[in-house]
Amino acid sequence: MFIIVDEREIVTTGYASGFEREGVSSLGLMPEEFSDWVTTTPQEELGAVDAFLIGDCEGRQAYPRIIRNRIRQAPVLALNEKPSLELTLELFAAGVDDVLRKPIHVREIMARVGAIRRRATEDTENMDVGNIRVFFDGRDPVVAGEEFALPRRERRILEFMARNYGRRVTKTQIYNAVYGLMNEDVDESVVESHISKLRKKLKMQLGYDPIESVRFLGYMLKKEDE
């Protein structure tokens, strides 16, 4: 999920629409809302954030520090409308991971975020969990050696579980990653339906159930011999 902060609602809604078309959840915030949100949101929900996009905001140089007091793994990117070497250097000195020139397509933003994460974690564009290869660039997974087409919500769930391989993720964490925080239009119970369909498809292809669920603890992607 992407968090977009800008003093103009037309900017936050515009980028949110772009992410939605790519099947990625997002949340737009006004500057006056942001500090309270990032300091009061439960840590479990912050774990669903892929990156922060900081647009035109007074005092935004302080945002990277505020963010990293709560969450360290999510890249912070600044959006500028006009080229300015002085401002760019100030933003990098403040701790942002990249400075982007508007207008910029959401696909490029996602690619830059993916590159930052790979550099930070020595990750690649894909990850293998047993006989499942998951891609993080929008492609469908490869399951048991065959390309495996999935609806975008189910694909996002599989990607999220792969990124968190080795630990359990809760229904709330999955919901936040797929639908976004504060989305009241979709009930959280829809996650159970998506996971049920995903499990059946993967089990039919693999011959075993690769998603382990434990009541009250959550879900975990596993290999056949685990």
Short mmCIF file of all heavy atoms in Angstrom, two decimals, residues 149-214:
data_model
loop_
_atom_site.label_atom_id
_atom_site.label_comp_id
_atom_site.label_asym_id
_atom_site.label_seq_id
_atom_site.Cartn_x
_atom_site.Cartn_y
_atom_site.Cartn_z
N ALA A 149 -2.25 -17.86 -13.99
CA ALA A 149 -3.00 -16.61 -13.99
C ALA A 149 -3.90 -16.52 -12.75
O ALA A 149 -4.60 -17.47 -12.41
CB ALA A 149 -3.86 -16.51 -15.25
N LEU A 150 -3.84 -15.36 -12.09
CA LEU A 150 -4.66 -15.13 -10.90
C LEU A 150 -5.33 -13.77 -11.00
O LEU A 150 -4.75 -12.83 -11.56
CB LEU A 150 -3.79 -15.15 -9.63
CG LEU A 150 -3.25 -16.49 -9.16
CD1 LEU A 150 -2.26 -16.27 -8.01
CD2 LEU A 150 -4.37 -17.41 -8.72
N PRO A 151 -6.54 -13.62 -10.43
CA PRO A 151 -7.13 -12.28 -10.31
C PRO A 151 -6.19 -11.40 -9.50
O PRO A 151 -5.45 -11.89 -8.63
CB PRO A 151 -8.44 -12.53 -9.56
CG PRO A 151 -8.75 -13.97 -9.80
CD PRO A 151 -7.42 -14.66 -9.88
N ARG A 152 -6.21 -10.10 -9.74
CA ARG A 152 -5.20 -9.22 -9.15
C ARG A 152 -5.23 -9.24 -7.62
O ARG A 152 -4.17 -9.14 -6.99
CB ARG A 152 -5.35 -7.79 -9.66
CG ARG A 152 -6.63 -7.09 -9.24
CD ARG A 152 -6.68 -5.70 -9.80
NE ARG A 152 -7.83 -4.96 -9.29
CZ ARG A 152 -8.12 -3.71 -9.63
NH1 ARG A 152 -7.35 -3.08 -10.49
NH2 ARG A 152 -9.17 -3.11 -9.13
N ARG A 153 -6.40 -9.36 -7.00
CA ARG A 153 -6.46 -9.39 -5.53
C ARG A 153 -5.76 -10.63 -4.99
O ARG A 153 -5.00 -10.57 -4.02
CB ARG A 153 -7.90 -9.33 -5.03
CG ARG A 153 -8.71 -8.15 -5.49
CD ARG A 153 -8.17 -6.83 -4.98
NE ARG A 153 -9.07 -5.73 -5.28
CZ ARG A 153 -8.77 -4.45 -5.16
NH1 ARG A 153 -7.58 -4.10 -4.75
NH2 ARG A 153 -9.66 -3.51 -5.45
N GLU A 154 -6.03 -11.78 -5.60
CA GLU A 154 -5.40 -13.02 -5.16
C GLU A 154 -3.90 -12.97 -5.40
O GLU A 154 -3.10 -13.47 -4.60
CB GLU A 154 -6.03 -14.21 -5.87
CG GLU A 154 -7.48 -14.45 -5.46
CD GLU A 154 -8.14 -15.56 -6.25
OE1 GLU A 154 -7.41 -16.45 -6.77
OE2 GLU A 154 -9.38 -15.55 -6.38
N ARG A 155 -3.49 -12.36 -6.52
CA ARG A 155 -2.06 -12.24 -6.80
C ARG A 155 -1.37 -11.35 -5.76
O ARG A 155 -0.28 -11.66 -5.29
CB ARG A 155 -1.85 -11.65 -8.20
CG ARG A 155 -0.38 -11.71 -8.65
CD ARG A 155 -0.18 -11.08 -10.01
NE ARG A 155 -0.28 -9.64 -9.94
CZ ARG A 155 -1.16 -8.90 -10.61
NH1 ARG A 155 -2.04 -9.48 -11.41
NH2 ARG A 155 -1.17 -7.58 -10.49
N ARG A 156 -2.03 -10.25 -5.37
CA ARG A 156 -1.47 -9.36 -4.36
C ARG A 156 -1.34 -10.07 -3.01
O ARG A 156 -0.37 -9.86 -2.28
CB ARG A 156 -2.34 -8.11 -4.22
CG ARG A 156 -2.23 -7.14 -5.37
CD ARG A 156 -0.94 -6.35 -5.29
NE ARG A 156 -0.92 -5.45 -4.14
CZ ARG A 156 0.15 -4.80 -3.72
NH1 ARG A 156 1.30 -4.95 -4.34
NH2 ARG A 156 0.09 -4.00 -2.67
N ILE A 157 -2.33 -10.90 -2.67
CA ILE A 157 -2.26 -11.65 -1.42
C ILE A 157 -1.07 -12.60 -1.45
O ILE A 157 -0.30 -12.70 -0.48
CB ILE A 157 -3.57 -12.42 -1.17
CG1 ILE A 157 -4.71 -11.44 -0.83
CG2 ILE A 157 -3.40 -13.44 -0.05
CD1 ILE A 157 -6.07 -12.09 -0.72
N LEU A 158 -0.90 -13.30 -2.56
CA LEU A 158 0.22 -14.24 -2.68
C LEU A 158 1.55 -13.49 -2.59
O LEU A 158 2.49 -13.95 -1.92
CB LEU A 158 0.12 -14.99 -4.00
CG LEU A 158 1.18 -16.06 -4.26
CD1 LEU A 158 1.14 -17.14 -3.17
CD2 LEU A 158 1.00 -16.68 -5.64
N GLU A 159 1.66 -12.33 -3.24
CA GLU A 159 2.88 -11.52 -3.18
C GLU A 159 3.16 -11.07 -1.75
O GLU A 159 4.31 -11.14 -1.27
CB GLU A 159 2.75 -10.30 -4.09
CG GLU A 159 2.74 -10.64 -5.58
CD GLU A 159 2.36 -9.44 -6.43
OE1 GLU A 159 2.11 -8.36 -5.86
OE2 GLU A 159 2.31 -9.57 -7.67
N PHE A 160 2.12 -10.63 -1.05
CA PHE A 160 2.29 -10.16 0.33
C PHE A 160 2.76 -11.30 1.24
O PHE A 160 3.66 -11.12 2.07
CB PHE A 160 0.99 -9.56 0.84
CG PHE A 160 1.08 -9.00 2.23
CD1 PHE A 160 1.77 -7.83 2.48
CD2 PHE A 160 0.46 -9.63 3.29
CE1 PHE A 160 1.87 -7.31 3.76
CE2 PHE A 160 0.54 -9.12 4.58
CZ PHE A 160 1.24 -7.95 4.81
N MET A 161 2.17 -12.47 1.05
CA MET A 161 2.56 -13.61 1.88
C MET A 161 3.98 -14.06 1.55
O MET A 161 4.74 -14.48 2.44
CB MET A 161 1.57 -14.75 1.70
CG MET A 161 0.17 -14.42 2.22
SD MET A 161 -0.99 -15.78 2.06
CE MET A 161 -0.38 -16.87 3.32
N ALA A 162 4.38 -13.96 0.28
CA ALA A 162 5.73 -14.33 -0.09
C ALA A 162 6.74 -13.36 0.52
O ALA A 162 7.79 -13.77 1.01
CB ALA A 162 5.87 -14.34 -1.62
N ARG A 163 6.43 -12.06 0.51
CA ARG A 163 7.33 -11.07 1.11
C ARG A 163 7.50 -11.33 2.60
O ARG A 163 8.51 -10.97 3.20
CB ARG A 163 6.79 -9.65 0.89
CG ARG A 163 6.98 -9.12 -0.52
CD ARG A 163 6.75 -7.64 -0.57
NE ARG A 163 6.83 -7.10 -1.91
CZ ARG A 163 7.96 -6.80 -2.54
NH1 ARG A 163 9.11 -7.01 -1.94
NH2 ARG A 163 7.94 -6.29 -3.76
N ASN A 164 6.48 -11.93 3.20
CA ASN A 164 6.53 -12.20 4.64
C ASN A 164 6.78 -13.69 4.92
O ASN A 164 6.40 -14.19 5.98
CB ASN A 164 5.21 -11.76 5.29
CG ASN A 164 5.07 -10.26 5.36
OD1 ASN A 164 5.56 -9.62 6.28
ND2 ASN A 164 4.41 -9.68 4.36
N TYR A 165 7.42 -14.36 3.96
CA TYR A 165 7.69 -15.79 4.12
C TYR A 165 8.46 -16.06 5.42
O TYR A 165 9.42 -15.37 5.75
CB TYR A 165 8.49 -16.30 2.92
CG TYR A 165 8.89 -17.76 3.05
CD1 TYR A 165 7.92 -18.76 3.01
CD2 TYR A 165 10.22 -18.12 3.21
CE1 TYR A 165 8.27 -20.09 3.14
CE2 TYR A 165 10.59 -19.45 3.34
CZ TYR A 165 9.60 -20.43 3.30
OH TYR A 165 9.95 -21.75 3.44
N GLY A 166 7.99 -17.06 6.13
CA GLY A 166 8.63 -17.42 7.39
C GLY A 166 7.93 -16.87 8.61
O GLY A 166 8.30 -17.21 9.73
N ARG A 167 6.92 -16.03 8.40
CA ARG A 167 6.16 -15.52 9.54
C ARG A 167 4.69 -15.45 9.17
O ARG A 167 4.32 -15.40 8.00
CB ARG A 167 6.67 -14.14 9.96
CG ARG A 167 6.55 -13.07 8.89
CD ARG A 167 7.06 -11.75 9.42
NE ARG A 167 6.98 -10.70 8.42
CZ ARG A 167 7.32 -9.44 8.65
NH1 ARG A 167 7.74 -9.08 9.85
NH2 ARG A 167 7.23 -8.55 7.69
N ARG A 168 3.86 -15.47 10.18
CA ARG A 168 2.42 -15.42 9.95
C ARG A 168 1.95 -13.99 9.74
O ARG A 168 2.48 -13.05 10.35
CB ARG A 168 1.67 -16.03 11.14
CG ARG A 168 1.99 -17.50 11.33
CD ARG A 168 1.07 -18.14 12.34
NE ARG A 168 1.51 -19.51 12.59
CZ ARG A 168 1.25 -20.53 11.78
NH1 ARG A 168 0.53 -20.32 10.69
NH2 ARG A 168 1.69 -21.74 12.05
N VAL A 169 0.96 -13.85 8.88
CA VAL A 169 0.34 -12.54 8.67
C VAL A 169 -1.14 -12.67 8.99
O VAL A 169 -1.77 -13.69 8.73
CB VAL A 169 0.53 -12.05 7.22
CG1 VAL A 169 1.98 -11.70 6.97
CG2 VAL A 169 0.06 -13.07 6.19
N THR A 170 -1.70 -11.65 9.60
CA THR A 170 -3.09 -11.69 10.02
C THR A 170 -4.01 -11.26 8.88
O THR A 170 -3.58 -10.68 7.88
CB THR A 170 -3.32 -10.77 11.22
OG1 THR A 170 -3.11 -9.40 10.79
CG2 THR A 170 -2.38 -11.09 12.36
N LYS A 171 -5.28 -11.53 9.08
CA LYS A 171 -6.29 -11.12 8.11
C LYS A 171 -6.28 -9.61 7.95
O LYS A 171 -6.42 -9.08 6.84
CB LYS A 171 -7.67 -11.60 8.56
CG LYS A 171 -8.79 -11.23 7.59
CD LYS A 171 -10.09 -11.93 7.97
CE LYS A 171 -10.63 -11.44 9.29
NZ LYS A 171 -11.96 -12.01 9.60
N THR A 172 -6.08 -8.89 9.05
CA THR A 172 -6.04 -7.43 9.00
C THR A 172 -4.85 -6.94 8.19
O THR A 172 -4.98 -6.01 7.38
CB THR A 172 -5.99 -6.84 10.42
OG1 THR A 172 -7.17 -7.21 11.13
CG2 THR A 172 -5.90 -5.32 10.37
N GLN A 173 -3.69 -7.54 8.37
CA GLN A 173 -2.52 -7.14 7.61
C GLN A 173 -2.72 -7.37 6.11
O GLN A 173 -2.36 -6.53 5.28
CB GLN A 173 -1.29 -7.92 8.09
CG GLN A 173 -0.77 -7.49 9.43
CD GLN A 173 0.38 -8.35 9.91
OE1 GLN A 173 0.29 -9.58 9.91
NE2 GLN A 173 1.48 -7.72 10.29
N ILE A 174 -3.30 -8.51 5.76
CA ILE A 174 -3.56 -8.81 4.35
C ILE A 174 -4.56 -7.82 3.78
O ILE A 174 -4.38 -7.29 2.68
CB ILE A 174 -4.06 -10.26 4.19
CG1 ILE A 174 -2.97 -11.25 4.61
CG2 ILE A 174 -4.50 -10.53 2.76
CD1 ILE A 174 -3.43 -12.68 4.67
N TYR A 175 -5.61 -7.57 4.53
CA TYR A 175 -6.63 -6.62 4.07
C TYR A 175 -6.01 -5.25 3.82
O TYR A 175 -6.27 -4.61 2.78
CB TYR A 175 -7.73 -6.51 5.13
CG TYR A 175 -8.79 -5.47 4.82
CD1 TYR A 175 -9.87 -5.78 4.01
CD2 TYR A 175 -8.69 -4.19 5.33
CE1 TYR A 175 -10.84 -4.83 3.72
CE2 TYR A 175 -9.64 -3.23 5.04
CZ TYR A 175 -10.72 -3.56 4.25
OH TYR A 175 -11.66 -2.61 3.96
N ASN A 176 -5.20 -4.78 4.74
CA ASN A 176 -4.59 -3.45 4.58
C ASN A 176 -3.66 -3.40 3.38
O ASN A 176 -3.58 -2.38 2.68
CB ASN A 176 -3.82 -3.08 5.84
CG ASN A 176 -4.73 -2.79 7.02
OD1 ASN A 176 -5.90 -2.45 6.84
ND2 ASN A 176 -4.21 -2.93 8.22
N ALA A 177 -2.94 -4.49 3.12
CA ALA A 177 -2.02 -4.53 1.99
C ALA A 177 -2.76 -4.54 0.66
O ALA A 177 -2.31 -3.96 -0.33
CB ALA A 177 -1.12 -5.76 2.09
N VAL A 178 -3.91 -5.19 0.62
CA VAL A 178 -4.64 -5.35 -0.64
C VAL A 178 -5.65 -4.24 -0.88
O VAL A 178 -5.77 -3.73 -2.00
CB VAL A 178 -5.35 -6.73 -0.67
CG1 VAL A 178 -6.19 -6.88 -1.92
CG2 VAL A 178 -4.31 -7.85 -0.60
N TYR A 179 -6.36 -3.84 0.17
CA TYR A 179 -7.43 -2.85 0.00
C TYR A 179 -7.08 -1.47 0.54
O TYR A 179 -7.73 -0.49 0.20
CB TYR A 179 -8.71 -3.34 0.69
CG TYR A 179 -9.39 -4.46 -0.08
CD1 TYR A 179 -9.20 -5.78 0.28
CD2 TYR A 179 -10.20 -4.18 -1.18
CE1 TYR A 179 -9.80 -6.81 -0.43
CE2 TYR A 179 -10.81 -5.20 -1.89
CZ TYR A 179 -10.61 -6.51 -1.50
OH TYR A 179 -11.20 -7.53 -2.21
N GLY A 180 -6.09 -1.39 1.39
CA GLY A 180 -5.69 -0.10 1.93
C GLY A 180 -6.32 0.18 3.27
O GLY A 180 -7.41 -0.30 3.61
N LEU A 181 -5.61 0.97 4.06
CA LEU A 181 -6.11 1.37 5.37
C LEU A 181 -7.33 2.27 5.21
O LEU A 181 -7.45 3.04 4.26
CB LEU A 181 -5.02 2.12 6.13
CG LEU A 181 -3.74 1.34 6.43
CD1 LEU A 181 -2.68 2.28 6.97
CD2 LEU A 181 -4.01 0.23 7.42
N MET A 182 -8.21 2.21 6.16
CA MET A 182 -9.37 3.10 6.23
C MET A 182 -10.31 2.95 5.04
O MET A 182 -11.05 3.87 4.68
CB MET A 182 -8.91 4.57 6.36
CG MET A 182 -8.04 4.83 7.57
SD MET A 182 -7.33 6.48 7.60
CE MET A 182 -8.82 7.47 7.80
N ASN A 183 -10.29 1.79 4.40
CA ASN A 183 -11.22 1.51 3.31
C ASN A 183 -12.47 0.89 3.91
O ASN A 183 -12.48 -0.27 4.30
CB ASN A 183 -10.59 0.56 2.29
CG ASN A 183 -11.44 0.40 1.04
OD1 ASN A 183 -12.64 0.57 1.07
ND2 ASN A 183 -10.79 0.07 -0.07
N GLU A 184 -13.51 1.65 3.97
CA GLU A 184 -14.74 1.19 4.62
C GLU A 184 -15.75 0.63 3.61
O GLU A 184 -16.83 0.20 3.99
CB GLU A 184 -15.38 2.35 5.40
CG GLU A 184 -14.49 2.87 6.53
CD GLU A 184 -15.13 4.02 7.27
OE1 GLU A 184 -16.21 4.48 6.83
OE2 GLU A 184 -14.57 4.47 8.29
N ASP A 185 -15.39 0.65 2.33
CA ASP A 185 -16.32 0.17 1.31
C ASP A 185 -16.31 -1.34 1.17
O ASP A 185 -17.21 -1.92 0.59
CB ASP A 185 -15.98 0.81 -0.05
CG ASP A 185 -16.16 2.32 -0.04
OD1 ASP A 185 -17.03 2.80 0.72
OD2 ASP A 185 -15.43 3.01 -0.77
N VAL A 186 -15.26 -1.98 1.67
CA VAL A 186 -15.12 -3.43 1.55
C VAL A 186 -14.94 -4.03 2.93
O VAL A 186 -14.10 -3.58 3.70
CB VAL A 186 -13.91 -3.80 0.65
CG1 VAL A 186 -13.81 -5.31 0.51
CG2 VAL A 186 -14.03 -3.14 -0.71
N ASP A 187 -15.72 -5.04 3.25
CA ASP A 187 -15.62 -5.68 4.57
C ASP A 187 -14.36 -6.53 4.65
O ASP A 187 -13.97 -7.20 3.68
CB ASP A 187 -16.85 -6.55 4.81
CG ASP A 187 -16.93 -7.03 6.24
OD1 ASP A 187 -16.33 -8.07 6.55
OD2 ASP A 187 -17.57 -6.34 7.05
N GLU A 188 -13.73 -6.53 5.81
CA GLU A 188 -12.48 -7.27 6.01
C GLU A 188 -12.64 -8.76 5.79
O GLU A 188 -11.69 -9.45 5.44
CB GLU A 188 -11.96 -6.99 7.43
CG GLU A 188 -10.55 -7.47 7.68
CD GLU A 188 -10.03 -7.04 9.04
OE1 GLU A 188 -9.88 -5.81 9.25
OE2 GLU A 188 -9.79 -7.92 9.87
N SER A 189 -13.86 -9.27 5.97
CA SER A 189 -14.09 -10.71 5.81
C SER A 189 -13.88 -11.18 4.37
O SER A 189 -13.76 -12.39 4.13
CB SER A 189 -15.51 -11.07 6.26
OG SER A 189 -16.48 -10.40 5.46
N VAL A 190 -13.82 -10.24 3.42
CA VAL A 190 -13.59 -10.64 2.02
C VAL A 190 -12.25 -11.31 1.86
O VAL A 190 -12.04 -12.10 0.94
CB VAL A 190 -13.72 -9.40 1.09
CG1 VAL A 190 -12.49 -8.49 1.22
CG2 VAL A 190 -13.88 -9.83 -0.36
N VAL A 191 -11.31 -11.03 2.76
CA VAL A 191 -9.98 -11.65 2.70
C VAL A 191 -10.10 -13.16 2.80
O VAL A 191 -9.42 -13.91 2.10
CB VAL A 191 -9.07 -11.10 3.82
CG1 VAL A 191 -7.80 -11.93 3.95
CG2 VAL A 191 -8.72 -9.65 3.55
N GLU A 192 -10.96 -13.65 3.68
CA GLU A 192 -11.14 -15.09 3.85
C GLU A 192 -11.61 -15.74 2.55
O GLU A 192 -11.16 -16.84 2.20
CB GLU A 192 -12.13 -15.37 4.98
CG GLU A 192 -11.65 -14.89 6.34
CD GLU A 192 -12.71 -15.10 7.41
OE1 GLU A 192 -13.82 -15.57 7.07
OE2 GLU A 192 -12.43 -14.79 8.59
N SER A 193 -12.50 -15.05 1.85
CA SER A 193 -12.99 -15.58 0.57
C SER A 193 -11.87 -15.64 -0.46
O SER A 193 -11.71 -16.64 -1.17
CB SER A 193 -14.13 -14.69 0.05
OG SER A 193 -14.56 -15.13 -1.23
N HIS A 194 -11.07 -14.57 -0.55
CA HIS A 194 -9.96 -14.55 -1.50
C HIS A 194 -8.96 -15.66 -1.19
O HIS A 194 -8.48 -16.35 -2.10
CB HIS A 194 -9.24 -13.20 -1.45
CG HIS A 194 -9.98 -12.09 -2.13
ND1 HIS A 194 -10.59 -12.24 -3.35
CD2 HIS A 194 -10.18 -10.80 -1.77
CE1 HIS A 194 -11.15 -11.10 -3.71
NE2 HIS A 194 -10.92 -10.21 -2.75
N ILE A 195 -8.62 -15.82 0.08
CA ILE A 195 -7.63 -16.83 0.46
C ILE A 195 -8.17 -18.23 0.20
O ILE A 195 -7.43 -19.12 -0.25
CB ILE A 195 -7.22 -16.66 1.93
CG1 ILE A 195 -6.43 -15.36 2.10
CG2 ILE A 195 -6.38 -17.85 2.40
CD1 ILE A 195 -5.97 -15.08 3.51
N SER A 196 -9.44 -18.45 0.46
CA SER A 196 -10.05 -19.76 0.21
C SER A 196 -9.94 -20.13 -1.28
O SER A 196 -9.56 -21.25 -1.62
CB SER A 196 -11.51 -19.75 0.65
OG SER A 196 -12.15 -20.98 0.33
N LYS A 197 -10.25 -19.16 -2.15
CA LYS A 197 -10.16 -19.42 -3.59
C LYS A 197 -8.71 -19.63 -4.01
O LYS A 197 -8.42 -20.52 -4.82
CB LYS A 197 -10.77 -18.25 -4.36
CG LYS A 197 -12.27 -18.08 -4.15
CD LYS A 197 -12.77 -16.83 -4.84
CE LYS A 197 -14.26 -16.63 -4.59
NZ LYS A 197 -14.77 -15.37 -5.20
N LEU A 198 -7.81 -18.82 -3.46
CA LEU A 198 -6.39 -18.96 -3.80
C LEU A 198 -5.86 -20.31 -3.37
O LEU A 198 -5.12 -20.98 -4.12
CB LEU A 198 -5.61 -17.83 -3.13
CG LEU A 198 -4.09 -17.84 -3.31
CD1 LEU A 198 -3.71 -17.71 -4.77
CD2 LEU A 198 -3.45 -16.71 -2.48
N ARG A 199 -6.21 -20.76 -2.18
CA ARG A 199 -5.73 -22.05 -1.66
C ARG A 199 -6.20 -23.19 -2.55
O ARG A 199 -5.42 -24.11 -2.85
CB ARG A 199 -6.21 -22.26 -0.23
CG ARG A 199 -5.61 -21.32 0.76
CD ARG A 199 -6.17 -21.53 2.15
NE ARG A 199 -5.62 -22.72 2.80
CZ ARG A 199 -5.81 -23.01 4.08
NH1 ARG A 199 -6.54 -22.20 4.83
NH2 ARG A 199 -5.28 -24.08 4.60
N LYS A 200 -7.46 -23.15 -2.95
CA LYS A 200 -8.00 -24.24 -3.78
C LYS A 200 -7.26 -24.32 -5.12
O LYS A 200 -6.93 -25.40 -5.59
CB LYS A 200 -9.49 -24.01 -4.01
CG LYS A 200 -10.35 -24.26 -2.78
CD LYS A 200 -11.82 -23.99 -3.06
CE LYS A 200 -12.67 -24.20 -1.82
NZ LYS A 200 -14.11 -23.89 -2.07
N LYS A 201 -7.01 -23.16 -5.72
CA LYS A 201 -6.32 -23.15 -7.01
C LYS A 201 -4.89 -23.66 -6.88
O LYS A 201 -4.42 -24.46 -7.69
CB LYS A 201 -6.31 -21.73 -7.58
CG LYS A 201 -7.69 -21.20 -7.95
CD LYS A 201 -7.63 -19.73 -8.34
CE LYS A 201 -9.02 -19.17 -8.61
NZ LYS A 201 -8.98 -17.72 -8.92
N LEU A 202 -4.18 -23.18 -5.85
CA LEU A 202 -2.80 -23.60 -5.65
C LEU A 202 -2.72 -25.09 -5.30
O LEU A 202 -1.83 -25.80 -5.78
CB LEU A 202 -2.14 -22.76 -4.55
CG LEU A 202 -1.92 -21.28 -4.88
CD1 LEU A 202 -1.38 -20.55 -3.64
CD2 LEU A 202 -0.95 -21.12 -6.05
N LYS A 203 -3.63 -25.56 -4.47
CA LYS A 203 -3.63 -26.97 -4.07
C LYS A 203 -3.87 -27.87 -5.28
O LYS A 203 -3.23 -28.93 -5.42
CB LYS A 203 -4.70 -27.21 -3.01
CG LYS A 203 -4.71 -28.64 -2.45
CD LYS A 203 -5.72 -28.79 -1.33
CE LYS A 203 -5.70 -30.20 -0.76
NZ LYS A 203 -6.68 -30.36 0.35
N MET A 204 -4.78 -27.46 -6.16
CA MET A 204 -5.06 -28.26 -7.35
C MET A 204 -3.83 -28.33 -8.26
O MET A 204 -3.54 -29.38 -8.85
CB MET A 204 -6.24 -27.65 -8.12
CG MET A 204 -6.69 -28.46 -9.32
SD MET A 204 -8.18 -27.76 -10.08
CE MET A 204 -9.35 -27.99 -8.74
N GLN A 205 -3.09 -27.24 -8.35
CA GLN A 205 -1.91 -27.21 -9.21
C GLN A 205 -0.71 -27.91 -8.58
O GLN A 205 0.06 -28.59 -9.27
CB GLN A 205 -1.54 -25.75 -9.51
CG GLN A 205 -0.35 -25.56 -10.43
CD GLN A 205 -0.64 -25.87 -11.89
OE1 GLN A 205 -1.76 -26.25 -12.24
NE2 GLN A 205 0.37 -25.73 -12.74
N LEU A 206 -0.55 -27.77 -7.26
CA LEU A 206 0.63 -28.29 -6.57
C LEU A 206 0.45 -29.70 -6.02
O LEU A 206 1.42 -30.43 -5.85
CB LEU A 206 1.01 -27.36 -5.41
CG LEU A 206 1.52 -25.98 -5.78
CD1 LEU A 206 1.54 -25.08 -4.54
CD2 LEU A 206 2.93 -26.06 -6.37
N GLY A 207 -0.79 -30.04 -5.67
CA GLY A 207 -1.04 -31.33 -5.03
C GLY A 207 -0.95 -31.26 -3.52
O GLY A 207 -1.07 -32.28 -2.84
N TYR A 208 -0.73 -30.09 -2.98
CA TYR A 208 -0.74 -29.88 -1.53
C TYR A 208 -1.16 -28.44 -1.25
O TYR A 208 -1.12 -27.58 -2.14
CB TYR A 208 0.64 -30.16 -0.91
CG TYR A 208 1.70 -29.14 -1.25
CD1 TYR A 208 1.96 -28.06 -0.42
CD2 TYR A 208 2.44 -29.24 -2.43
CE1 TYR A 208 2.93 -27.12 -0.73
CE2 TYR A 208 3.41 -28.31 -2.75
CZ TYR A 208 3.65 -27.26 -1.90
OH TYR A 208 4.59 -26.33 -2.22
N ASP A 209 -1.56 -28.17 -0.02
CA ASP A 209 -2.00 -26.84 0.37
C ASP A 209 -0.80 -26.03 0.85
O ASP A 209 -0.21 -26.36 1.88
CB ASP A 209 -3.05 -26.96 1.49
CG ASP A 209 -3.66 -25.61 1.86
OD1 ASP A 209 -3.22 -24.58 1.32
OD2 ASP A 209 -4.58 -25.59 2.71
N PRO A 210 -0.42 -24.97 0.13
CA PRO A 210 0.77 -24.21 0.52
C PRO A 210 0.50 -23.09 1.52
O PRO A 210 1.43 -22.36 1.88
CB PRO A 210 1.24 -23.64 -0.81
CG PRO A 210 -0.03 -23.37 -1.54
CD PRO A 210 -0.97 -24.48 -1.14
N ILE A 211 -0.74 -22.93 1.92
CA ILE A 211 -1.08 -21.85 2.87
C ILE A 211 -1.56 -22.48 4.17
O ILE A 211 -2.58 -23.14 4.22
CB ILE A 211 -2.15 -20.91 2.30
CG1 ILE A 211 -1.64 -20.23 1.02
CG2 ILE A 211 -2.54 -19.85 3.34
CD1 ILE A 211 -2.66 -19.33 0.35
N GLU A 212 -0.79 -22.26 5.22
CA GLU A 212 -1.15 -22.78 6.53
C GLU A 212 -1.89 -21.70 7.31
O GLU A 212 -1.47 -20.55 7.34
CB GLU A 212 0.10 -23.19 7.29
CG GLU A 212 -0.17 -23.74 8.68
CD GLU A 212 1.12 -24.09 9.40
OE1 GLU A 212 1.62 -25.21 9.20
OE2 GLU A 212 1.64 -23.22 10.13
N SER A 213 -3.00 -22.07 7.89
CA SER A 213 -3.77 -21.11 8.69
C SER A 213 -3.94 -21.64 10.10
O SER A 213 -4.21 -22.83 10.29
CB SER A 213 -5.13 -20.84 8.06
OG SER A 213 -5.91 -22.01 8.00
N VAL A 214 -3.75 -20.76 11.06
CA VAL A 214 -3.96 -21.10 12.47
C VAL A 214 -4.89 -20.05 13.05
O VAL A 214 -4.62 -18.84 12.95
CB VAL A 214 -2.63 -21.13 13.25
CG1 VAL A 214 -2.89 -21.42 14.72
CG2 VAL A 214 -1.69 -22.16 12.66
#
